[in-house]
Amino acid sequence: MLRLEPRPEASRLWSVGSPLLALALTVVIGSLLFVALGKDPVRGLQVFFWEPVKSAYALGELMVKATPLLLVALGLAVCFRSNVWNIGAEGQFVLGAIAAGGVALLAGKDTGRWIVIAILLAGVAGGMAWASITALLRDRFNASEILVSLMLVYVAEQLLFWLVFGPWKDPGGYNFPQTKTFEAVTRIPRLMTGSRVSIGLVLALLGAGALWVFLFRTRAGFAQQVGGLAPAAARYAGFSSRRALWLALLVSGGAAGLAGALEVAGPIGQLTPYVPAGYGFAAIIVAFVGRLHPLGMVFSAVLMSMFYIGGELAQSRLGLPKSLTGVFQGLLLFTLLACDTLIAYRVRLSRRPA
Amino acid sequence: MESYALLAAATLNAGTVLALAALGLLVNEKAGIVNLGAEGLMLCAALAAFVTVVHTGSDLLGFLAGMGAAALLAAVFGVLVIWLNTNQYATGLALSLFGAGFSAFAGIKYVQEKLPERPQFAIPGLADIPVLGPALFRQHPVAYLAVALVLFLVWFLYRSRAGLVLRSVGESPESAHALGYPVRRIRLAAVVAGGALCGLAGAYLVTIYTPLWVEGMVAGRGWIALALTTFATWRPARVLLGAYLFGGVTMLQFHLQGTGVEVPSQFLTMLPYLATIVVLALISRNPAWIRINMPASLGKPFYPGS
């Protein structure tokens, strides 16, 4: 019988090793899945882990998808570190996209380039507004932020559907549920020609840097985290848990909203029912796999982006459903949580049944 | 009058899905474990049930397959949170994300395939009562099972010795452990039983409620079921009441769409989710009200000897 023995202090080795072991386990289970499906596992792994990095163009696409994942995850890290369980980032992302899309639709052909800033700010405001509903209900009514933020995802999606099927529908769009494509002037500037990577990537990396400074170099960042680790100590130190709640939700809502704005005014270029692509949920995994640390999340966002592209390639190359992405993402989070046990515990063999 | 009877019947039908899942989660939570994976469990169970019914034509086998699949996944969740001490919230989320991905992935061949309409089960005699009969007594047997389950749970949790032990494990695992009860095994049993009930809910959804398979068809019902346990302040009878109330809101939405009210359908689809938020806020408002019945160790890990 296996027995867990608490370590006197957390293992530094395993706090780095656990994500690697989890990834290895995910690969093993994934390979078994490919075999079960009668597909060549080597070919399958190639599609997931080699194709997304093999060329400059592929690497660019990897960054395109890693950008929203990283942005959303950065915000979620502030939440999870302060023990606020915001799992409705997907809804905040959609509201950011709606607000940004609204501004983009207002713009005429000869609007100045400044409109991009207005679009991004609208996205941030949209995401913050949506998250503040959760904060308000938690603060005033003590309602579970998990359930409220999640229910708001479904509401946000319906709001988007209503807009693209109704008032914002493109009259010249052959009855497709979508808005007209945004004017060129509203599109987020790209970093270079020949790749879809936009300034969003720079914003996300700056965000990671800002989060690092906030968490580890400011008093406010410290106060934010103490509430999550030791609520009693936070109270004693006079750190307000209400403040922490609002800050966490506004930051994460704003980050998710910004990601939504960058998506619709960037790669997508219009509002469609396919704007919610699951980034809000995948970012939860990015946050955990990256240890809620800015640098860790940069790596895990790239990894998760790889799974996204792998899923798309599995569809076009191997005839496998795209949802394989979700299977891999879920597996990774499962195995990571299990492997994290090794950080705090030693596994011992014992005869005595535990 | 006839349309109201139909509406009531449909309400019970919609409420049954929620009731079964919420009762399962109630059993979980009484033992101190929060399972945010309900949505994933229901999706995988729905798929397992659908595939089984398509290939065997037997509803009973479908229900068993759904329960088995969900119980198995719940067991994995249980081992992780109970033995490996993983964070309950994060592990539940992983289960939901995995379940959504896996069911979409494995069910791709079955998308839009339909099951034959189920013949109605009318209880002889009672079903012929005007108005009331067609409303209440033309349901699938599982709908009555949900009611029976509530009666059983009330007796089990508050009148039986095993139920007392289960509750003590959720209130104070330390004391239960000190008294010599195998806390972790009891918790695992509760998680597996709760998972099986979520599975039954998923199977009922896919065979009786909407007899076809579509990706993500549980559509948040797993989360609504979680909210229902809070709404009901962890009392089985109130869970049933809440489930029918929410079933009513869902049905009202279809009813309004049918009567041609000038509201965009998207706003009507939002109703159950908005209702969940409002009700959750109103119930949670009074902390005393919540705390009386909430298992004291809900969501807290327990590891003997640490």
Side-chain angles (χ1 to χ4, degrees):
Chain A
M1 190 81 188
L2 289 175
R3 197 165 55 89
L4 296 181
E5 187 183 277
R7 291 178 192 273
E9 59 186 303
S11 158
R12 294 194 135 224
L13 175 71
W14 278 114
S15 66
V16 178
S18 152
L20 298 176
L21 181 61
L23 182 61
L25 282 172
T26 304
V27 169
V28 170
I29 300 175
S31 310
L32 292 176
L33 205 62
F34 281 120
V35 173
L37 291 164
K39 304 278 171 188
D40 178 6
V42 178
R43 183 86 187 87
L45 293 178
Q46 214 177 15
V47 156
F48 264 81
F49 295 101
W50 172 236
E51 305 250 343
V53 291
K54 72 172 187 182
S55 69
Y57 178 78
L59 280 172
E61 287 302 294
L62 196 64
M63 294 306 134
V64 169
K65 288 202 160 57
T67 300
L69 289 169
L70 175 58
L71 265 176
V72 181
L74 291 171
L76 289 180
V78 177
C79 283
F80 297 158
R81 275 185 182 259
S82 36
N83 220 2
V84 174
W85 289 85
N86 172 22
I87 56 173
E90 183 83 359
Q92 294 142 24
F93 177 92
V94 170
L95 253 287
I98 290 176
V103 173
L105 287 173
L106 287 175
K109 271 195 181 58
D110 19 285
T111 316
R113 211 60 176 110
W114 57 266
I115 192 76
V116 171
I117 305 213
I119 286 170
L120 293 182
L121 289 178
V124 171
M128 277 187 172
W130 208 240
S132 67
I133 303 175
T134 304
L136 183 75
L137 293 180
R138 168 88 233 194
D139 185 13
R140 284 292 156 84
F141 297 95
N142 193 34
S144 155
E145 76 275 19
I146 298 179
L147 295 169
V148 172
S149 65
L150 201 99
M151 290 292 131
L152 285 173
V153 175
Y154 294 94
V155 178
E157 284 177 352
Q158 293 302 323
L159 207 59
L160 173 71
F161 293 168
W162 171 64
L163 289 170
V164 297
F165 278 94
W168 288 7
K169 187 155 124 184
D170 180 6
Y174 305 100
N175 217 22
F176 277 110
Q178 56 191 32
T179 64
K180 52 179 200 176
T181 29
F182 302 154
E183 298 292 346
V185 66
T186 66
R187 305 296 287 271
I188 309 294
R190 293 183 180 178
L191 283 182
M192 54 200 138
T193 45
S195 160
R196 299 197 302 153
V197 182
S198 76
I199 55 161
L201 180 65
V202 179
L203 290 179
L205 291 174
L206 285 177
L211 180 66
W212 188 86
V213 172
F214 172 73
L215 288 177
F216 307 122
R217 286 290 176 272
T218 67
R219 191 186 134 85
F222 178 70
Q224 188 71 19
Q225 301 178 67
V226 174
L229 294 169
R235 263 195 306 278
Y236 184 70
F239 299 151
S240 156
S241 64
R242 287 184 61 190
R243 212 185 109 93
L245 172 80
W246 277 95
L247 186 73
L249 278 163
L250 288 179
V251 167
S252 63
L258 178 62
L262 286 166
E263 279 297 290
V264 289
I268 307 181
Q270 64 188 150
L271 289 176
T272 80
Y274 303 104
V275 167
Y279 291 136
F281 294 112
I284 298 173
I285 307 177
V286 170
F288 277 108
V289 174
R291 316 262 96 178
L292 307 180
H293 188 286
L295 187 62
M297 288 186 286
V298 170
F299 287 114
S300 61
V302 173
L303 179 66
M304 210 59 60
S305 164
M306 221 161 159
F307 285 3
Y308 261 100
I309 293 174
E312 283 168 10
L313 291 172
Q315 186 179 31
S316 59
R317 304 271 170 85
L318 307 178
L320 291 171
K322 205 173 158 183
S323 30
L324 201 55
T325 300
V327 178
F328 270 88
Q329 290 176 341
L331 271 179
L332 182 65
L333 185 50
F334 255 135
T335 49
L336 177 83
L337 292 165
C339 293
D340 274 359
T341 309
L342 295 169
I343 299 174
Y345 299 94
R346 261 192 204 100
V347 179
R348 286 279 157 91
L349 279 170
S350 75
R351 295 237 178 92
R352 189 170 53 85
Chain B
M1 224 37 201
E2 187 61 20
S3 76
Y4 286 102
L6 284 174
L7 190 64
T11 293
L12 291 192
N13 199 6
T16 299
V17 178
L18 294 172
L20 289 169
L23 289 170
L25 293 171
L26 178 110
V27 173
N28 267 352
E29 295 186 7
K30 278 287 178 192
I33 307 278
V34 179
N35 187 351
L36 296 188
E39 182 84 4
L41 288 178
M42 286 174 74
L43 277 166
C44 288
L47 179 66
F50 190 82
V51 172
T52 308
V53 175
V54 165
H55 290 293
T56 66
S58 155
D59 280 10
L60 183 66
L61 285 179
F63 284 132
L64 291 176
M67 291 174 79
L72 195 71
L73 274 176
V76 174
F77 165 84
V79 168
L80 282 174
V81 299
I82 301 166
W83 266 272
L84 296 184
N85 254 354
T86 64
N87 181 301
Q88 293 183 17
Y89 297 117
T91 313
L93 274 177
L95 182 55
S96 266
L97 295 170
F98 174 79
F102 185 78
S103 61
F105 170 69
I108 197 94
K109 270 191 295 189
Y110 297 89
V111 169
Q112 299 296 353
E113 204 167 313
K114 285 194 171 109
L115 293 177
E117 279 286 325
R118 294 287 171 282
Q120 284 189 328
F121 289 82
I123 297 184
L126 291 177
D128 299 329
I129 303 170
V131 187
L132 213 59
L136 299 181
F137 301 110
R138 280 181 190 277
Q139 298 286 331
H140 190 270
V142 171
Y144 305 113
L145 183 70
V147 181
L149 192 66
V150 170
L151 298 175
F152 168 76
L153 280 179
V154 168
W155 169 82
F156 174 78
L157 288 171
Y158 301 103
R159 292 280 178 276
S160 81
R161 194 177 161 76
L164 180 70
V165 173
L166 180 80
R167 282 189 296 138
S168 73
V169 157
E171 290 293 339
S172 171
E174 292 79 13
S175 324
H177 178 68
L179 288 170
Y181 290 111
V183 171
R184 287 180 294 178
R185 266 180 254 164
I186 294 169
R187 286 189 156 182
L188 184 66
V191 165
V192 170
L197 282 178
C198 287
L200 184 58
Y204 184 87
L205 177 74
V206 83
T207 50
I208 313 299
Y209 186 75
T210 27
L212 81 165
W213 169 255
V214 222
E215 184 180 328
M217 66 174 300
V218 174
R221 288 186 181 86
W223 299 100
I224 295 183
L226 270 160
L228 276 174
T229 57
T230 310
F231 167 77
T233 60
W234 295 270
R235 311 287 293 204
R238 288 186 200 151
V239 165
L240 192 68
L241 194 74
Y244 291 147
L245 204 68
F246 272 84
V249 174
T250 314
M251 281 306 126
L252 197 66
Q253 155 215 326
F254 288 121
H255 188 71
L256 289 176
Q257 281 180 20
T259 53
V261 184
E262 288 292 311
V263 177
S265 65
Q266 289 89 3
F267 286 97
L268 297 172
T269 311
M270 279 178 204
L271 272 180
Y273 307 112
L274 287 175
T276 308
I277 295 173
V278 171
V279 164
L280 207 60
L282 291 179
I283 295 289
S284 316
R285 204 174 162 184
N286 183 351
W289 172 270
I290 291 283
R291 237 173 266 136
I292 294 172
N293 293 304
M294 185 169 113
S297 297
L298 188 62
K300 292 181 193 141
F302 167 73
Y303 204 82
S306 68

